[in-house]
Amino acid sequence: MQLNPPDMEKKNSLFAQPFFWLILSLTLGLAPFAPEPHLWGKLKWIAGGAEGMALMDWFDFFLHGFPWVGLVVTGVNKIRGK
């Protein structure tokens, strides 16, 4: 017997909560914080042509950027009412 419909379980999931992604974005997404947020430095590097970026730098960019993507996706889903 199923108590909750599958859609209800997805809405209550930790990954569906914007607050979870906000905390992750402000910690992992910006760390290390000094002298500037790491993701910001990578974005400036990419905007400047990404010369000299190795595979590890791209992995680092996606690692620090993933929480921000999750925040945007859950925020849009929350606004759209999903």
Side-chain angles (χ1 to χ4, degrees):
M1 184 167 120
Q2 188 175 2
L3 298 176
N4 292 330
D7 293 351
M8 194 63 170
E9 290 177 17
K10 289 180 184 175
K11 289 182 181 179
N12 291 333
S13 169
L14 180 63
F15 297 111
Q17 303 300 321
F19 183 72
F20 169 75
W21 291 105
L22 178 66
I23 296 299
L24 205 59
S25 297
L26 294 176
T27 54
L28 176 64
L30 294 176
F33 303 101
E36 67 181 8
H38 201 58
L39 184 62
W40 182 249
K42 295 288 183 189
L43 287 171
K44 289 190 328 187
W45 196 0
I46 292 169
E51 290 185 34
M53 280 187 75
L55 185 59
M56 185 63 181
D57 296 314
W58 284 105
F59 172 76
D60 198 33
F61 169 71
F62 288 113
L63 176 75
H64 289 280
F66 182 73
W68 293 99
V69 172
L71 180 63
V72 169
V73 168
T74 56
V76 167
N77 284 342
K78 199 73 143 176
I79 290 170
R80 290 178 59 201
K82 286 188 173 184

